[in-house]
Amino acid sequence: MALVTSGQFEPTQAERDFVAALIAGRPYQPRAETHPPVPAPNHARTESTAADATLKPFWPWMRRKTPAAAPPQDDRASSADHAPLLSPGEIRAELIRALIICDSARRAGLQAPAEETEIASKAGADTPIEIGPRGLEIVPELDFQAVPPIDPDLFDDIEIEADRTRRRDQETEWQRTHSANGRIRILGELDLRGVDFPKNIAIHACDFVTAEGEPAAIRITGAKFGGLSLDGSSCALLAGAEASIDGDISANHAKTSSIELRGIEIGGGLFLVGARLAGLSNNALSLNSGRVGGSVFLRNGFKSTGEINLIGAHIGGVLDCADGEFSATECPAIHGFRATINGTVQMAGAFRARGSVIFSYARLGAPLICAGAQVELIDGQSFNFHGATISGDVNLGGAAITGGKLNFDAANIDGKLILVEARLDNGDGIALGCNGTKIRDVVLLRNGFSAIGQCDFIAAELGGGFDCRNATMTRPGGTALCCNGSRIRGPVFLRDEFTAKGTVDFASAHLGGMLDCTGGEFDNPGQLAINCSGTTIDGHAFLCRGFKASGAVTFNAARIGGMLRCQGGSFSNPNGHALDCFAANFRSSVNLDFGFVAHGRVGFVEASIAGVLDCSGGEFNGGDGVALDFADSSVGHNVTLCSKFKAAGQVNFSGSTIGGNLQLQAGQFTRSRTNPVALNLYSTRIDRHLQFDTSTPERDVCRVVGDVDLRQASCLTLDDQSGDLCDWLDGELQLDGFSYQTIGDHSSKSWQTRRRWLLLQPDDHIAGKDFKPQPFEQLERVLRQMGHTNSARRVGAERELRLHKSGRLGGGSSLFRWIFQWPTGYGYQPGRALLIALAVIAFSTLIFETAYRHGEITPAEPHAALAELVTGQSGRLTGADGRTVYEAYDDVPRFNSLLYTIDTFLPLVELDQESSWKPAVNARRMEEADRRNPPSFWWTFQPVQTTGTFLLQTIDGSIGLNWFKALITGLGFMLTTLIAAALSGLFRRDR
């Protein structure tokens, strides 16, 4: 059939039939022709099968071939049993244009152009031409009616699957019915630009082709229609920029290169269900700056190659892209920058996108549903909702987004963010971006959620919780999850097999609930595993029961309103901090107890704990450094390092304040190879008890391998071993400056035990010039206050002795203390001076008794009584009166060596012995003296006489008896003075 120009227009029978149907106000359907009878299509819904579930390829782009002659009709076929096959027919586009223009002119009261009037008249139209109220319709007998979309508010997996199955069944049946032989060809380009046609135009199952058989365009730029339906049709281009459509534009299952609707006004919806857009110059659908009063459907088999441009568009209903396929490599697959969509945006089900999807700064008036979507991003593209406002939930449950970033930076989500079972993969880049995002409700990244790449919630605001249970986030060596500076009003769950390979960062964040990492695994060896520096947590922090961290866990300067519980947690960072809580503030307790294991330093330097610190049963391995560091910290109640507590490396509480007890029962402390101190309590203040022993029958004794530093420490009560104090320590005990007010009831207070305890100090602290007297003074004072006076005196004497031996006093002072204080035990043992005095008296008594018996002690000259007896006057002894000198002895007090010694030794005692007798020079033995004054019984023993004679000869041969007497007098004066001073406490340091 030859095509002619309008000047040579001659209508075909099909065109005449078309005009007749149009004037009659009924849809045009091709005339039935003679064909072999075929079964009529079954309109009833059939059960979905595997074959039906897969959509068949749409009809091919190809030139129209003249159909072969039909075979004769089988007369035996009954019309009741068979239905005729529809002939495609052929209608020229210029006829359709002429009819529409003529009708528009009639309505406007204008004269239609002559050319269009001539074409319409030749086709059988009477003038003035009036198209029926249904508008222009070219509709096959079997029309496809789109299944109403599912209500987005009733989001349910079962309903979605039922809806998807129902649509597949009807689409498959419609495609099977509309074969190439049942379609209508529109010859030429349909140009309706600027036409005002308030009725509907429905051209279904038609192929717009040129004279050469190539696809032809449809142009409605600036036109005004009541509605436009191109369901099942194909064309090269639909160009409708700035057009105005009162009703819907429907191109379900249509096929074209591009649909250009820039700036269009659509009063109804835009239906492109199952449509195929090949993309012309990377432009598949352009709706930028357009307005759609209803919904836009790009779903159920919809396929596009090129950009879906929704920039600045306004959609009054939903944007439904469920089960659609969108592909673009050099531009976004869907671009909705600053679009306004009042209804739900659905990209769910079998939605597929290859290329970026952009809705940055868009306004969505209802939820965003992308459950099950699969998006493949290329070269750093993104699934982008940056700055968008979404009035409802965002559901990407089960979605898979690879090759780029899921971006909600600076967005405002008035509901939940749901990524349950979602899979994000952006390699080493950012997989999920929610920086500065405001989310009114919870964030759900749980139940199999996985992200390869960084998940960012920097400075985000969450009105609910943050649930990442059973999620996996991977970015080895980098940051897996970053919530730096975020504000989360609800709890944060990183538990129940949560796995992070990379840093989890909550630095400077504010968590309104708890932080629960129970059973979570955090893997970032040698770097930060969890960073909560500067974080405020209003609730508890749980890192327990299966918690594992390979890398540092930090709570530096954090504020935790509840407890930090790490019971059963495993922390590993051998070359640094396994757990670092520098300057952290805990409003409740810290539990690093049963099952807690740390390889690396656990630090709470300058931390503040309002409750208890319980490390019972915990294992701390600091390697060559500090295992547990609480330097300069404060604990409001008890600190418990007992019940099989183990530390390999120094435990450091230097400068700390403990408001309760420090309990070390059954704890095991082992020094590191580089630091001899195993337990460092330097300058620690303990308000109650320092307990080393439980005093139970089981003897849960503290064991320390290494030194214990108690310098400048203080406690109320020292509760140490009930048995031997030396059993528990394999090292040295530094006690200088250690103060305590009492010793526990079950602790030993005996001098011998306490002396061994003091001697556990370093050698240079108990002897030598670095001698430390304070530990002795402290123990002496406490023992005296507790009523153990004897032990206190022994401790004081031991201190003074060691101070004297240390040489710290200098030569003069040392000599003075040795001479004048040593005899009294430095004022603490006056009995020692008394014993010395008794020994001197006994020795002197033996010497003076021996001297008397040898005649070396005679009456004093002159003796008053003897002088009066012999001369009658004082001062002269002549013996001329006939009385012998020996007879005059009866008038002299009888000599007694003991009383003579006491009279000589004690300076203030006068027994009339020293004044009556004196040592004689060159005297001879006086037998009469022995007779008149027999010796005491002890002198009768020969060994005594022999010893006395030997000692007397020694004295006579050295200093002489007179000097010996003077020496005894001096010793007596000195010793009596020292005894008096000792008894008065003059020499004691505690006075």
Side-chain angles (χ1 to χ4, degrees):
M1 179 182 298
L3 297 178
V4 297
T5 63
S6 59
Q8 301 173 336
F9 183 82
E10 292 295 335
T12 63
Q13 185 59 45
E15 291 173 332
R16 293 180 183 277
D17 293 341
F18 162 65
V19 173
L22 189 65
I23 299 303
R26 55 182 174 81
Y28 167 69
Q29 296 174 343
R31 176 182 298 180
E33 298 183 359
T34 304
H35 288 283
V38 294
N42 182 10
H43 296 281
R45 180 181 174 185
T46 60
E47 294 298 327
S48 177
T49 64
D52 295 329
T54 304
L55 295 178
K56 297 178 181 179
F58 213 71
W59 54 86
W61 289 97
M62 63 180 185
R63 294 189 178 185
R64 178 74 167 95
K65 296 182 179 180
T66 304
Q73 183 177 3
D74 188 352
D75 295 335
R76 294 173 297 175
S78 170
S79 62
D81 297 333
H82 302 281
L85 182 66
L86 298 178
S87 174
E90 293 180 346
I91 301 174
R92 279 168 284 191
E94 55 186 327
L95 175 58
I96 298 174
R97 169 182 167 81
L99 293 171
I100 291 175
I101 290 177
C102 290
D103 182 81
S104 299
R106 178 195 60 78
R107 282 189 311 97
L110 301 175
Q111 181 68 38
E115 184 177 355
E116 280 73 14
T117 302
E118 179 183 357
I119 293 174
S121 298
K122 288 185 177 181
D126 297 330
T127 56
I129 299 172
E130 180 178 0
I131 299 176
R134 292 174 58 94
L136 188 147
E137 294 182 288
I138 305 176
V139 182
E141 182 179 358
L142 298 176
D143 192 11
F144 171 71
Q145 300 297 328
V147 178
I150 190 170
D151 185 355
D153 295 331
L154 301 176
F155 186 78
D156 183 85
D157 291 341
I158 297 177
E159 292 295 331
I160 289 176
E161 185 60 31
D163 173 68
R164 190 177 301 153
T165 302
R166 183 165 63 254
R167 290 172 181 273
R168 278 200 303 263
D169 292 345
Q170 295 199 21
E171 291 166 5
T172 302
E173 178 183 350
W174 189 88
Q175 290 180 10
R176 183 175 58 248
T177 303
H178 291 72
S179 64
N181 287 332
R183 299 178 59 78
I184 301 173
R185 291 182 14 130
I186 308 296
L187 305 178
E189 183 179 280
L190 179 58
D191 187 355
L192 299 176
R193 288 177 290 183
V195 173
D196 185 357
F197 184 67
K199 301 176 184 178
N200 293 331
I201 298 177
I203 304 176
H204 293 184
C206 295
D207 298 327
F208 290 80
V209 296
T210 64
E212 293 77 17
E214 297 293 338
I218 302 175
R219 302 186 185 277
I220 59 171
T221 303
K224 295 183 179 181
F225 297 151
L228 177 62
S229 179
L230 300 171
D231 291 348
S233 297
S234 66
C235 63
L237 171 68
L238 174 59
E242 307 298 334
S244 176
I245 310 297
D246 294 338
D248 300 332
I249 291 182
S250 177
N252 296 322
H253 295 279
K255 189 168 186 180
T256 182
S257 294
S258 177
I259 298 179
E260 171 59 54
L261 302 178
R262 175 175 47 84
I264 196 172
E265 294 273 349
I266 302 176
L270 175 61
F271 295 86
L272 298 175
V273 175
R276 310 292 176 86
L277 308 183
L280 179 62
S281 299
N282 291 321
N283 184 19
L285 170 63
S286 179
L287 195 61
N288 58 316
S289 301
R291 297 183 65 87
V292 181
S295 299
V296 175
F297 293 96
L298 313 176
R299 61 169 299 161
N300 292 92
F302 174 89
K303 292 184 179 181
S304 66
T305 301
E307 182 179 38
I308 303 296
N309 188 338
L310 305 176
I311 297 175
H314 186 283
I315 300 174
V318 304
L319 172 61
D320 191 349
C321 303
D323 300 325
E325 295 186 17
F326 304 79
S327 178
T329 57
E330 298 179 4
C331 58
I334 301 177
H335 199 167
F337 175 78
R338 293 195 182 277
T340 299
I341 304 170
N342 293 337
T344 300
V345 175
Q346 291 200 56
M347 291 180 278
F351 173 88
R352 304 288 185 272
R354 188 172 186 271
S356 59
V357 176
I358 299 175
F359 282 89
S360 52
Y361 298 101
R363 299 182 63 85
L364 279 59
L368 169 64
I369 301 176
C370 302
Q374 295 189 22
V375 180
E376 179 184 354
L377 302 172
I378 304 170
D379 296 333
Q381 295 175 335
S382 61
F383 195 72
N384 192 348
F385 286 82
H386 181 100
T389 299
I390 304 171
S391 300
D393 297 340
V394 174
N395 190 335
L396 287 97
I401 302 175
T402 61
K405 174 182 178 181
L406 173 58
N407 187 359
F408 287 95
D409 291 343
N412 192 331
I413 300 174
D414 190 24
K416 304 180 182 70
L417 175 59
I418 304 170
L419 287 123
V420 176
E421 297 183 357
R423 293 175 292 110
L424 310 180
D425 186 353
N426 193 23
D428 195 43
I430 297 176
L432 173 61
C434 291
N435 298 330
T437 305
K438 295 181 179 180
I439 304 172
R440 186 177 62 85
D441 210 327
V442 300
V443 173
L444 301 178
L445 312 179
R446 55 174 297 176
N447 293 1
F449 168 85
S450 67
I452 300 176
Q454 182 168 321
C455 294
D456 276 348
F457 286 83
I458 299 173
E461 294 186 16
L462 279 62
F466 189 74
D467 192 348
C468 299
R469 284 177 283 188
N470 195 28
T472 301
M473 301 181 184
T474 304
R475 192 168 182 247
T479 300
L481 173 62
C482 186
C483 296
N484 195 317
S486 62
R487 184 178 182 87
I488 303 173
R489 296 185 183 276
V492 175
F493 295 109
L494 308 177
R495 56 170 298 162
D496 297 337
E497 299 183 6
F498 170 85
T499 302
K501 296 184 183 299
T503 301
V504 173
D505 189 356
F506 281 88
S508 303
H510 188 159
L511 312 185
M514 70 174 68
L515 172 62
D516 190 352
C517 302
T518 302
E521 295 189 15
F522 302 79
D523 187 13
N524 199 22
Q527 302 183 54
L528 282 173
I530 299 178
N531 183 13
C532 289
S533 299
T535 304
T536 299
I537 303 174
D538 292 343
H540 304 301
F542 294 131
L543 289 76
C544 52
R545 293 198 303 275
F547 170 89
K548 295 181 181 179
S550 179
V553 176
T554 65
F555 286 87
N556 295 336
R559 297 177 60 86
I560 300 180
M563 68 173 63
L564 172 62
R565 187 171 184 180
C566 302
Q567 183 183 51
S570 176
F571 299 74
S572 179
N573 190 30
N575 297 322
H577 277 90
L579 175 61
D580 189 6
C581 298
F582 174 80
N585 186 297
F586 301 90
R587 299 288 298 278
S588 186
S589 303
V590 173
N591 296 90
L592 312 176
D593 49 355
F594 299 99
F596 174 89
V597 178
H599 294 277
R601 176 179 293 199
V602 175
F604 285 78
V605 177
E606 298 184 18
S608 175
I609 302 173
V612 303
L613 170 62
D614 189 357
C615 301
S616 302
E619 296 186 14
F620 301 79
N621 188 345
D624 292 338
V626 177
L628 181 60
D629 193 354
F630 273 82
D632 301 318
S633 63
S634 65
V635 181
H637 294 287
N638 296 340
V639 174
T640 306
L641 310 177
C642 56
S643 301
K644 309 304 180 184
F645 166 90
K646 295 181 181 179
Q650 184 182 112
V651 175
N652 182 18
F653 279 85
S654 60
S656 296
T657 300
I658 299 174
N661 303 327
L662 175 56
Q663 300 171 321
L664 308 174
Q665 305 96 317
Q668 297 184 22
F669 302 80
T670 305
R671 53 162 289 184
S672 68
R673 291 180 298 177
T674 59
N675 194 328
V677 178
L679 177 59
N680 187 356
L681 299 177
Y682 176 82
S683 193
T684 301
R685 192 187 78 188
I686 304 169
D687 291 347
R688 298 191 65 193
H689 306 294
L690 173 57
Q691 298 175 319
F692 289 89
D693 189 4
T694 59
S695 303
T696 62
E698 293 78 11
R699 290 291 309 280
D700 292 331
V701 179
C702 170
R703 303 291 182 188
V704 180
V705 179
D707 298 348
V708 175
D709 190 350
L710 289 170
R711 292 175 301 159
Q712 308 304 322
S714 65
C715 66
L716 176 65
T717 302
L718 175 62
D719 287 330
D720 48 16
Q721 315 299 92
S722 58
D724 192 343
L725 289 170
C726 302
D727 288 346
W728 63 279
L729 180 60
D730 182 9
E732 296 178 336
L733 181 63
Q734 301 187 43
L735 295 172
D736 185 35
F738 176 47
S739 63
Y740 45 94
Q741 298 183 25
T742 183
I743 297 176
D745 294 338
H746 298 283
S747 299
S748 176
K749 302 162 187 74
S750 71
W751 152 243
Q752 294 83 359
T753 302
R754 285 297 159 189
R755 184 175 184 273
R756 288 196 300 271
W757 180 66
L758 289 172
L759 295 183
L760 291 174
Q761 297 181 83
D763 293 341
D764 56 346
H765 287 194
I766 57 178
K769 293 188 177 298
D770 199 24
F771 171 71
K772 308 295 183 183
Q774 188 276 339
F776 292 85
E777 295 171 355
Q778 176 67 32
L779 179 59
E780 176 193 354
R781 182 166 52 252
V782 171
L783 289 173
R784 180 171 287 105
Q785 291 173 353
M786 296 180 68
H788 300 275
T789 307
N790 185 54
S791 295
R793 288 177 177 175
R794 298 292 298 271
V795 172
E798 181 75 15
R799 180 199 68 231
E800 296 299 327
L801 175 61
R802 292 184 177 277
L803 182 62
H804 167 73
K805 290 182 177 180
S806 68
R808 292 175 53 185
L809 301 176
S813 298
S814 178
L815 180 62
F816 173 82
R817 289 171 63 84
W818 178 259
I819 296 175
F820 293 101
Q821 293 190 17
W822 181 87
T824 62
Y826 302 96
Y828 294 92
Q829 294 175 304
R832 177 188 293 179
L834 181 60
L835 291 176
I836 294 174
L838 292 176
V840 171
I841 290 174
F843 178 80
S844 299
T845 299
L846 176 61
I847 297 300
F848 288 138
E849 182 70 23
T850 303
Y852 176 78
R853 297 303 167 187
H854 285 75
E856 294 187 21
I857 293 182
T858 62
E861 183 183 359
H863 189 277
L866 184 59
E868 290 176 0
L869 175 64
V870 175
T871 63
Q873 59 183 357
S874 176
R876 197 160 61 87
L877 180 63
T878 62
D881 57 356
R883 296 181 63 192
T884 66
V885 173
Y886 298 106
E887 291 174 344
Y889 271 64
D890 295 336
D891 298 327
V892 180
R894 183 173 294 180
F895 179 81
N896 186 302
S897 59
L898 176 61
L899 295 179
Y900 184 82
T901 301
I902 293 174
D903 199 5
T904 302
F905 187 79
L906 298 178
L908 300 180
V909 175
E910 180 58 53
L911 300 178
D912 202 23
Q913 285 285 317
E914 184 182 13
S915 60
S916 301
W917 300 89
K918 67 177 181 178
V921 179
N922 299 321
R924 58 183 181 83
R925 180 178 176 81
M926 294 179 288
E927 302 292 340
E928 187 64 20
D930 290 341
R931 182 184 65 78
R932 290 177 179 274
N933 187 15
S936 301
F937 75 94
W938 54 270
W939 179 256
T940 60
F941 295 100
Q942 186 61 39
V944 174
Q945 296 180 21
T946 303
T947 301
T949 301
F950 172 76
L951 293 176
L952 179 61
Q953 292 175 354
T954 302
I955 292 173
D956 287 341
S958 57
I959 62 173
L961 193 59
N962 282 314
W963 283 104
F964 176 76
K965 179 185 175 185
L967 176 62
I968 295 304
T969 301
L971 286 175
F973 179 82
M974 183 184 71
L975 288 176
T976 53
T977 302
L978 291 178
I979 291 173
L983 291 176
S984 66
L986 183 63
F987 293 154
R988 281 162 45 188
R989 288 179 171 269
D990 60 330
R991 293 298 182 89

